[in-house]
Amino acid sequence: MSIVVGGILICLIVLCIRLHNEKAKLQQKINLFKPMIETTEGIRDMLYYCEVYPKLKYLYLSPSIDSNLGPNSLEKHLNNPDKIFDIVHPDDHDILRKKQLGTLNFDKPITVRFKNHLGEYIWFEEYATPVYKDGKVMAVQGVYRNVHSQYILQEQLEYKSTHDGLTGLYNREYFQLKKKEFNEIAIPISVIVADLDDLKEINDEYGHQMGDRLIIAAADCLKKFADEEMIVARVGGDEFIVLMPHKDNFEVEQYIENVCSKMREFSNTLPFSPIHISIGYEYSPSSYGVMRQLLNKADQKMYKNKKMKKVLI
């Protein structure tokens, strides 16, 4: 009997020693992390230390999460660490999952979007470091920095670099870029060239504000019937080009008819005779190496269309 009791006591002593050692190791981790906590406590960066195995568990999460993502965010995430997967942008979900599994590249900054209490997605840049034990990622520590304003500014600059300021269509530079891309692949494509008629006369008689109104209306008509694949660009004062990949002749002609019909509707609101838009297009079953020829042929057809209308008048 005494041998059994002794064995139990020995087991209990060993268990207590192990628990003590694990607690000491945990405290060491927190102590190592503490200087970072103290230096970032007063700023908006979100600092964390989170165990990822066997399940998510925050050992530390900075209160600044409330100022970034909304009131009570700290309490909600501490109580439910998996909540982060509910607020991450769907396109960034895999980033978090790879980080949890330890398969993410931790050598470079990570960019993710989290939804705040207003339902808005905010951009964050993260610097994360995995914590290993026996070659397995057991935890991740890192800092999230709010970089939303920088990303918005970057998006605005990128938009301005590719879009026309008056109409919101793509600009000539972007069109040239896409023309080059299509010229190097083989897909069915149509090129449409469109030009407003008699814009100079209208500018001279009614002023450039009226001319701008017509340009914007033509752009709206061209954009209204375009799908996501199509590239609609303003390449000159009243000159437009539309690139239509993966469309047949019927779809192209239907698009042109819709645009012309909408322009006729708009013309009825003008204080002068109807404004017309001249259009020409060229189709090829393969875009490879022929984009310049397609553009030239479409341009010639557009001018032919314009001359025919003048003869009829």
Side-chain angles (χ1 to χ4, degrees), residues 8-44:
I8 294 174
L9 288 173
I10 291 172
C11 290
L12 288 173
I13 291 170
V14 171
L15 180 60
C16 288
I17 291 173
R18 287 180 178 176
L19 289 174
H20 176 77
N21 289 339
E22 290 298 320
K23 185 177 179 180
K25 289 179 181 179
L26 178 59
Q27 189 60 49
Q28 286 177 352
K29 293 178 183 178
I30 296 175
N31 289 339
L32 287 172
F33 205 53
K34 192 173 180 181
M36 294 179 64
I37 295 173
E38 292 172 348
T39 57
T40 58
E41 237 1 292
I43 61 177
R44 282 176 54 84

Side-chain angles (χ1 to χ4, degrees), residues 74-85:
L74 177 63
E75 181 181 356
K76 292 176 182 177
H77 284 268
L78 288 176
N79 291 335
N80 179 19
D82 287 313
K83 185 173 178 57
I84 194 169
F85 290 102

Side-chain angles (χ1 to χ4, degrees), residues 223-250:
K223 188 165 49 178
K224 179 177 177 62
F225 301 102
D227 61 29
E228 292 182 358
E229 271 196 313
M230 294 166 58
I231 307 299
V232 184
R234 181 190 179 202
V235 296
D238 59 348
E239 302 170 25
F240 306 90
I241 296 178
V242 182
L243 302 179
M244 297 182 64
H246 304 294
K247 299 291 189 296
D248 57 30
N249 282 323
F250 174 78

Side-chain angles (χ1 to χ4, degrees), residues 54-234:
K55 64 178 182 179
L56 292 181
K57 180 182 179 182
Y58 285 108
L59 301 187
Y60 179 78
L61 181 60
S62 60
S64 56
I65 187 174
D66 284 352
S67 59
N68 280 283
L69 299 179
N72 303 317
S73 293
L74 177 63
E75 181 181 356
K76 292 176 182 177
H77 284 268
L78 288 176
N79 291 335
N80 179 19
D82 287 313
K83 185 173 178 57
I84 194 169
F85 290 102
D86 296 332
I87 66 169
V88 71
H89 192 282
D91 292 343
D92 301 333
H93 186 276
D94 285 347
I95 295 176
L96 292 192
R97 189 60 69 188
K98 287 179 180 178
K99 187 171 68 170
Q100 182 183 11
L101 296 174
T103 59
L104 192 67
N105 181 4
F106 290 95
D107 295 332
K108 60 182 182 180
I110 305 161
T111 53
V112 291
R113 288 156 288 183
F114 293 126
K115 185 163 56 178
N116 65 14
H117 66 298
L118 300 176
E120 304 165 334
Y121 281 104
I122 307 298
W123 282 98
F124 290 90
E125 185 176 74
E126 178 188 4
Y127 294 85
T129 303
V131 178
Y132 294 93
K133 180 180 180 181
D134 298 328
K136 181 178 178 62
V137 175
M138 304 299 292
V140 177
Q141 62 182 13
V143 178
Y144 284 107
R145 173 158 294 173
N146 189 324
V147 293
H148 190 70
S149 58
Q150 293 95 309
Y151 262 82
I152 295 301
L153 178 59
Q154 181 180 340
E155 288 177 354
Q156 291 172 346
L157 292 174
E158 289 176 355
Y159 181 88
K160 288 181 179 179
S161 70
T162 58
H163 288 74
D164 173 58
L166 178 64
T167 63
L169 299 181
Y170 289 115
N171 57 22
R172 174 182 284 275
E173 289 75 20
Y174 186 80
F175 159 72
Q176 294 289 1
L177 177 65
K178 298 304 292 186
K179 185 183 79 167
K180 183 176 183 296
E181 288 181 6
F182 286 131
N183 201 58
E184 296 171 354
I185 60 176
I187 61 169
I189 196 164
S190 292
V191 177
I192 297 174
V193 176
D195 190 278
L196 283 171
D197 298 339
D198 304 319
L199 184 65
K200 183 180 184 304
E201 290 77 4
I202 292 170
N203 279 336
D204 293 341
E205 186 171 351
Y206 295 94
H208 285 275
Q209 284 188 338
M210 178 58 75
D212 287 348
R213 180 182 170 193
L214 297 178
I215 291 171
I216 293 171
D220 289 344
C221 291
L222 291 165
K223 188 165 49 178
K224 179 177 177 62
F225 301 102
D227 61 29
E228 292 182 358
E229 271 196 313
M230 294 166 58
I231 307 299
V232 184
R234 181 190 179 202

